[in-house]
Every structure is written in structure tokens, then in C-alpha cells.
Amino acid sequence: MIELDGVSRLFDGVPAVEGMSLRIERGEICVIVGTSGCGKSTTLKLLNRLLACSSGTIRIDGQDIAELDAERLRRRMGYAIQHTGLFPHWTVARNIGVVPRLLEWPAPRIEARVRELLELFGLPYASFADKFPSQLSGGQAQRVGVARALAGDPEILLMDEPFGALDPITRESLQNELLRIQARIHKTIVFVTHDLDEALKLASRIVVMDRGRIVQHDTPSRLLEQPANAFVENLFGQGERGLKRASLQRVGACMLPLQGAAPAVSVGAEDSLRQALSLMLWHRTGELCVRDAEGRALGVLPIGAVLQGPRA
Ligand SMILES: Nc1ncnc2c1ncn2[C@@H]1O[C@H](COP(=O)(O)OP(=O)(O)OP(=O)(O)O)[C@@H](O)[C@H]1O
Ligand SMILES: [Mg+2]
């Protein structure tokens, strides 16, 4: 879907992005991580042509974006940024409808779309449509910012630390919303974050950047298991690796058949091994009952099965 081929961008002769080659497949969430100033935001701006490449080519669906009309290109791509970029003197509804209006959708279709998106993000239309950005909490404003990025039904969503300024609880609920929405609408998402747990949770594949270059492009579990170099290894925290990997693994993939009475403490089959381990530590037990969303006992998770990990 998106292809970067030897892309560089210089500012005053200094490279911010250098020799970047990358393929992002349709429907995946590609997360870009790396230290501050390594070129993450620049990369997103090259994709929607807010910035031009100094050299190299970016193709979308095989088409060189330099040959496309920049405005039309941007309408195919939602763009959500940390400080939401909402127009302060416009209502929430008008902010969300900006791209559909540019696309000249008829008014009833725009209203229906705004309504649908607000509901999707848990913001009831009746209470939020006519509010101004200054009347929203930070988390609500960020949700409106993401809703606006989705409004024109873009094929591609570029997200630059969209949940950056949020408390951990709101952040986690927005991450879950994004995964839930993505399971339904299958956009191609390029997502920039500083938060490595967020990256591991959301990504199909992660791009690690260092000083303008790609150091590794891999699945979350391969980044943890086989870091390309010491920089990647340190970035993902050597001492925390076991827990980070456990947070990627589902209880359901590790449980054993239930024999005899169900253990007193339960864990969800969809929960991570990290959550299971925490429950074991808290309740001082080495065995959990695994249940489905309806509460039916599916199996048992002894601590030995946690140590073993998912069975192939
Ligand atoms: N418009 C610009 N003019 C000059 N230099 C710029 C410009 N935009 C970015 N840079 C430089 O390019 C480099 C990469 O910046 P970029 O914003 O892509 O970093 P980043 O990885 O997004 O960092 P952060 O995590 O802090 O947001 C930095 O050294 C920055 O100073
Ligand atoms: Mg940035």
C-alpha cells in the first residue's frame, strides 16, 4: 500500500530522514518509534506531502505521490496530531465535517457521518456536536481529533502521538477503541509514539528509527526476541523484556484442559500472560481458571504453562 524507496529529507543540509526504505501493507498498523528528533514526524509529513522529499520516492498503491495533486492526496489520508489541531472557533460537528465538506458530500450525509463517528468514540451527538474545542477535556478533544481524521473515510490514517497528552487510563481506553475500530474498518495506519508499550500493543509491525535511519522493522515479538543491535535492545528495556513479551501473549494460547474443580481465581482467555502473572502474584496462587467472555470455564492456567508460553 505504502512504499518508501531511499527517501531522504534534509533541513539546511542536515538530514532529518536518510535513505529510508519501507513497505507498509494494506490494513496493517505500522508504528514508528525512536528517540526524540529521530525523524518520526518528518516521515509522516513526507507521506502526506506537508514536506517534500529531498531525494527518493514514496509510492501509494504503486503511484509516485510527487505526481499526485497534494490536496487530493491529503484527503485520502487522515492526519491526527498530538495537539489535535482542532479549529477553536468551530463546533465539534463542524471540525469533524471539514474533509467531507471539502469532498462536497451532501449535508445530510455529512451529518450522518459526524453522528456515526461521535457515537463510535463514545461521545453522544446530542451533548457534543455543538460544543467548542475549549469546552472539551483533553481526552475528548483527542477523540474528536481522531474522529476528524477518519471522517472522509480515508484509506490511510497518519497518527502522530495522538494519545500523547493523556493519562494512562484514558490512553488505554483510546488504544482499545482504536484496535476495536481497526478490526471493523481495516485502514492502513501509520502511528508514531514514544510509548513502547503502546507500540507493542497496537503494532502489526514496528519501525525503530535512530538519527533519521531505520534500525529495525519487525513484528513486536521479533523486536523483543531478536533486537538488531544494542540500541533496539536498550530501547525496549532489557530488564523488562520478559514482561513485555508476556503482554503480547494470550492466556487462551497457553491454557491446559480443566481437570477436577476450577481454581478460585479466574482470568479471561483474551487477557495477556502479563495480566495472568499479576493475578497470580496478587492472589498468591500458582493456578488460575481460564474463562471466556460469558464466564464459562475453558481451562486452567498453571504457572508452569505461563513460563512455557504459547504452545505452537
Ligand atoms: N521545519 C523544520 N526545519 C528545520 N529542521 C527541522 C524541521 N522539522 C524538523 N526538523 C529537524 O529534523 C529532525 C527530526 O525532527 P522530527 O520532528 O521528525 O523528530 P521526531 O522524531 O518527530 O521527534 P519528537 O519525538 O521529539 O517529536 C530534528 O532534528 C528537527 O530539529
Ligand atoms: Mg514528532
Side-chain angles (χ1 to χ4, degrees):
M1 172 103 219
I2 305 175
E3 248 176 312
L4 285 79
D5 193 359
V7 169
S8 298
R9 168 68 202 208
L10 311 178
F11 290 111
D12 306 320
V14 181
V17 168
E18 206 175 0
M20 194 163 176
S21 294
L22 177 67
R23 276 179 66 104
I24 300 170
E25 306 298 335
R26 184 181 298 281
E28 79 168 318
I29 303 185
C30 170
V31 178
I32 305 180
V33 301
T35 42
S36 184
C38 70
K40 305 181 293 296
S41 299
T42 302
T43 303
L44 290 195
K45 290 175 191 162
L46 292 171
L47 289 174
N48 66 9
R49 282 189 51 196
L50 285 178
L51 291 171
C53 300
S54 304
S55 57
T57 327
I58 299 178
R59 280 183 292 271
I60 289 183
D61 276 337
Q63 263 187 317
D64 183 345
I65 63 166
E67 290 162 8
L68 300 174
D69 175 65
E71 280 306 315
R72 297 249 307 266
L73 175 74
R74 264 172 234 145
R75 279 174 221 161
R76 288 170 62 187
M77 299 185 177
Y79 185 44
I81 53 178
Q82 178 170 350
H83 297 292
T84 72
L86 297 178
F87 301 113
H89 51 288
W90 285 9
T91 63
V92 163
R94 192 157 173 218
N95 264 291
I96 295 177
V98 63
V99 172
R101 269 199 306 283
L102 287 171
L103 294 171
E104 296 179 353
W105 291 11
R109 182 172 169 208
I110 297 176
E111 198 201 301
R113 180 67 176 152
V114 170
R115 191 178 285 277
E116 176 192 28
L117 283 165
L118 280 173
E119 302 293 333
L120 191 63
F121 282 93
L123 302 168
Y125 185 89
S127 330
F128 286 94
D130 295 327
K131 282 202 156 79
F132 287 91
S134 62
Q135 298 169 307
L136 302 173
S137 76
Q140 290 163 348
Q142 294 213 305
R143 266 176 261 199
V144 172
V146 178
R148 182 178 61 172
L150 283 168
D153 208 15
E155 303 143 65
I156 297 170
L157 204 53
L158 308 177
M159 306 179 84
D160 197 346
E161 305 194 45
F163 310 145
L166 297 175
D167 67 89
I169 292 172
T170 311
R171 192 174 181 126
E172 203 191 331
S173 82
L174 286 187
Q175 291 164 356
N176 293 337
E177 274 170 45
L178 182 69
L179 286 175
R180 213 186 53 232
I181 293 168
Q182 175 64 358
R184 249 184 57 195
I185 60 182
H186 306 294
K187 303 292 181 191
T188 304
I189 301 178
V190 189
F191 188 108
V192 167
T193 181
H194 269 114
D195 179 334
L196 296 165
D197 288 314
E198 181 167 89
L200 292 169
K201 176 172 176 174
L202 296 178
S204 329
R205 288 189 297 166
I206 297 178
V207 174
V208 181
M209 290 183 71
D210 184 24
R211 285 164 289 174
R213 293 181 163 275
I214 297 180
V215 188
Q216 191 167 3
H217 179 209
D218 236 324
T219 60
S221 56
R222 282 179 56 100
L223 274 173
L224 291 171
E225 309 271 355
Q226 293 167 38
N229 61 19
F231 175 79
V232 179
E233 195 165 344
N234 284 328
L235 192 69
F236 286 89
Q238 283 163 304
E240 292 273 307
R241 267 197 306 198
L243 289 173
K244 287 200 185 340
R245 185 175 63 190
S247 70
L248 297 175
Q249 299 169 330
R250 303 290 120 204
V251 165
C254 310
M255 67 184 180
L256 304 175
L258 186 61
Q259 283 165 345
V265 181
S266 296
V267 64
E270 289 304 310
D271 287 344
S272 69
L273 285 191
R274 183 182 184 136
Q275 287 166 299
L277 202 52
S278 177
L279 281 167
M280 288 177 173
L281 288 167
W282 184 256
H283 293 281
R284 300 182 201 285
T285 176
E287 207 174 46
L288 302 174
C289 177
V290 181
R291 295 186 186 274
D292 66 13
E294 278 75 50
R296 285 184 293 254
L298 298 178
V300 62
L301 186 73
I303 187 141
V306 175
L307 299 182
Q308 207 122 62
R311 282 159 299 125

